[in-house]
Amino acid sequence: MSTEVRTRFAPSPTGYMHLGNLRTALYTYLWARRNGGKFILRIEDTDQEREVKGAVDVIYNSMKTAGLLHDEGPDVGGPCGPYVQSERKNMYLPYAKELVEKGGAYYCFCTKERLDEERAKAEAKGETFKYDKHCLHLSKEEVEARIAAGESYVIRQNIPTEGKASFDDVIYGHVEVDCDTLDDNVLIKADGLPTYNFANVIDDHLMGITHVMRGNEYLSSAPKYNLLYEAFGWTPPLYVHLTPVMVEGTLRDKKTGVYTMETDEKGNVVLDENGEPKKAIVKRKMSKSQGDPSFEDLMAEGYLVEAIINYLVLLGWSPRGEREFYTLKELEEIFDLEGLSKSPSFFDYGKMKWFNAEYIRKLTPEQFREKAAPWLAKVLDPAKFDFGRICELTQARTEVFSQLPGMVDFLAEMPELDMALFTNKKSKSTPETSKAALAFVRPILEGITDWTETNLHDVVMEAIPQSGMKNATVLWPLRIAITGRAATPGGAFEMAYLLGKDETMKRLDAAMAKL
């Protein structure tokens, strides 16, 4: 009889969905779905000081938006609830006491002053502080008496002083450390609440978690987790410690806000072209505190959910074959652990944007218009402009939806005209030829009553040979005169149609007056 695969995503409510966290959630979700198992959402809020109001809702919304729907969790319930750690606080102390009886933990009454003193001694010797098991050998009677007297205490894990602590990981293989290098970490704090290290072990066991996927920053803690499993006589889950998502960017000290500066071989700070200290570009883990985008940030910029998910899944996992584009449903059927990378992955903003552009091009015209309309409405009145035509002109040019307002804002208000734009080698345009071209085309436009794109094209193109100028020599200055832009979503006729006759003629006259 096979065991049901049960995976969990256990974020802390700190305010946003970090892209690295989202990737962990994605892998965890996909492994459960691939195996017909259960995907569980657990909120780990034991660190009350870091909790941000409303952050739990951010987690719910992000997971729902990403399509990572959980089978059990705080908002949907399940047989292993509650699914919020703070609501489970009364569950942990009995297990800690059981561990004390088994010899895997002990009560510690050491004061902060004593611990600070011992820590200072270790630092003076250049050693890493490790608790000295000062309270390990207190008798049961003394412990009970001190608790009855109201003394403050914690419960510490009793790490063996010799031997090895080990575990097996899908990515890193067999990992082991010497027990004498591990500290007797606190399991239950003085306020009676569990530490993260203890709570997640108890919760994973009680929720029947079979596979734990998390960042490799927990590699060093995993041996201590396994010692807890061994002390209880429980079977540990299968560990999958994921390599980090890296990025090339600047690095800022979290406390001081000071950036790491680029230096030369002599250690002198390098200056940029403005004579200012140059920020060093380093390879580091993605971090919201360093200004890297969260999932919500990418959504707010106009990235498509499908593109984000597709790109993220490939940051640390390789499918079999050369294919790059997958729907979430397809990933549910093919995701495997063998494809997980042993090396860090790098988030490439250019590649992310390319993925998004490809997904945008695959949208139907109706889908694109639905998503583009709110962005266009930021700068254009939908009652005055043909959004359908604008969408037809911009879909193939759009990489991210947030680009749209800047692509079309000139339609609402003519930008300040840069006269240098009338000079163009490709169209062989100069201010003189441009002036002549506009003088030629103006009466032709004035005479057009049926102001449609097709009619504008046919009438003007039929007349241009009479001018003795090439098509581009006439059309380049016309587009510059009515848009003020060297790059527009369409040519002169498309832009004139969108602007309407009155606005086109008004802009044309203003440009001619300046030439």
Side-chain angles (χ1 to χ4, degrees), residues 71-90:
D71 303 295
E72 301 173 26
D75 54 338
V76 298
C80 301
Y83 293 90
V84 178
Q85 279 190 340
S86 60
E87 296 174 11
R88 300 169 63 85
K89 60 184 179 182
N90 295 326

Side-chain angles (χ1 to χ4, degrees), residues 41 96 203 291 351 439 446 452 505:
L41 175 65
D203 289 342
K351 188 66 178 290
E446 183 67 49
T452 63
M505 300 310 296

Side-chain angles (χ1 to χ4, degrees), residues 316-430:
W317 177 75
S318 298
R320 302 176 193 279
E322 299 299 318
R323 185 178 167 190
E324 286 189 292
F325 294 95
Y326 296 92
T327 65
L328 185 61
K329 192 67 180 175
E330 289 170 335
L331 290 169
E332 291 175 14
E333 297 172 357
I334 66 170
F335 181 79
D336 57 23
L337 301 182
E338 291 75 17
L340 292 172
S341 174
K342 294 178 171 60
S343 303
S345 304
F346 282 89
F347 186 92
D348 183 330
Y349 291 94
K351 188 66 178 290
M352 174 75 253
K353 189 172 287 187
W354 176 81
F355 255 94
N356 201 64
E358 291 297 309
Y359 270 88
I360 285 177
R361 291 184 183 97
K362 292 176 183 177
L363 295 175
T364 65
E366 294 75 21
Q367 290 171 330
F368 180 79
R369 180 170 180 174
E370 180 183 353
K371 294 180 182 298
W375 292 94
L376 295 174
K378 291 177 182 289
V379 293
L380 299 179
D381 183 347
K384 294 181 179 180
F385 292 95
D386 184 346
F387 274 23
R389 183 56 178 144
I390 292 173
C391 287
E392 289 174 352
L393 294 169
T394 56
Q395 182 168 0
R397 299 167 179 261
T398 304
E399 295 177 310
V400 184
F401 282 101
S402 57
Q403 296 170 334
L404 280 172
M407 291 168 65
V408 300
D409 56 358
F410 66 87
L411 292 171
E413 184 176 354
M414 178 69 179
E416 184 176 347
L417 187 58
D418 180 0
M419 304 306 289
L421 293 177
F422 286 110
T423 300
N424 182 275
K425 290 183 179 180
K426 188 174 181 180
S427 64
K428 298 182 179 179
S429 295
T430 66

Side-chain angles (χ1 to χ4, degrees), residues 166-167 214 218-227 229 239 241:
S166 64
F167 70 97
R214 59 190 172 208
Y218 293 104
L219 268 173
S220 60
S221 301
K224 288 181 280 190
Y225 298 157
N226 255 27
L227 288 174
Y229 279 103
Y239 295 108
H241 287 90

Side-chain angles (χ1 to χ4, degrees), residues 115-337:
L115 294 174
D116 287 343
E117 184 180 330
E118 293 301 312
R119 188 173 285 105
K121 289 179 182 177
E123 290 177 358
K125 296 178 183 177
E127 299 174 352
T128 301
F129 172 72
K130 191 174 75 161
Y131 183 67
D132 59 4
K133 294 183 181 287
H134 180 73
C135 295
L136 174 61
H137 302 294
L138 296 177
S139 67
K140 184 176 181 180
E141 293 73 23
E142 183 177 352
V143 167
E144 291 175 350
R146 294 177 75 165
I147 292 175
E151 279 194 54
S152 178
Y153 69 87
V154 300
I155 297 180
R156 290 182 179 274
Q157 183 176 4
N158 184 19
I159 302 287
T161 55
E162 54 187 34
K164 305 281 188 181
S166 64
F167 70 97
D168 292 309
D169 184 84
V170 168
I171 295 177
Y172 292 90
H174 185 71
V175 178
E176 64 179 24
V177 297
D178 293 325
C179 287
D180 63 7
T181 64
L182 303 177
D183 195 12
D184 286 2
N185 285 350
V186 172
L187 303 179
I188 300 292
K189 297 178 285 188
D191 60 6
L193 291 175
T195 57
Y196 168 82
N197 290 330
F198 188 55
N200 88 82
V201 168
I202 302 302
D203 289 342
D204 284 346
H205 172 71
L206 294 179
M207 294 182 182
I209 302 303
T210 59
H211 296 74
V212 169
M213 294 186 183
R214 59 190 172 208
N216 67 356
E217 63 267 27
Y218 293 104
L219 268 173
S220 60
S221 301
K224 288 181 280 190
Y225 298 157
N226 255 27
L227 288 174
L228 289 173
Y229 279 103
E230 290 174 10
F232 279 117
W234 299 340
T235 300
L238 186 65
Y239 295 108
V240 187
H241 287 90
L242 304 168
T243 55
V245 178
M246 307 290 285
V247 68
E248 284 193 350
T250 55
L251 181 62
R252 181 176 56 203
D253 187 278
K254 293 180 181 179
K255 292 183 179 179
T256 65
V258 176
Y259 284 94
T260 300
M261 295 299 175
E262 185 177 328
T263 57
D264 59 23
E265 62 277 2
K266 294 182 179 180
N268 299 314
V269 174
V270 176
L271 303 181
D272 62 19
E273 61 275 8
N274 299 316
E276 298 293 330
K278 191 174 183 180
K279 297 172 185 175
I281 302 298
V282 299
K283 293 180 180 179
R284 55 167 174 76
K285 285 180 64 175
M286 287 197 81
S287 169
K288 177 71 171 176
S289 65
Q290 297 293 338
D292 298 322
S294 65
F295 176 59
E296 292 79 15
D297 291 333
L298 290 181
M299 292 292 296
E301 285 183 42
Y303 283 86
L304 294 170
V305 174
E306 297 83 357
I308 298 172
I309 293 299
N310 196 155
Y311 181 59
L312 275 184
V313 79
L314 300 177
L315 287 179
W317 177 75
S318 298
R320 302 176 193 279
E322 299 299 318
R323 185 178 167 190
E324 286 189 292
F325 294 95
Y326 296 92
T327 65
L328 185 61
K329 192 67 180 175
E330 289 170 335
L331 290 169
E332 291 175 14
E333 297 172 357
I334 66 170
F335 181 79
D336 57 23
L337 301 182

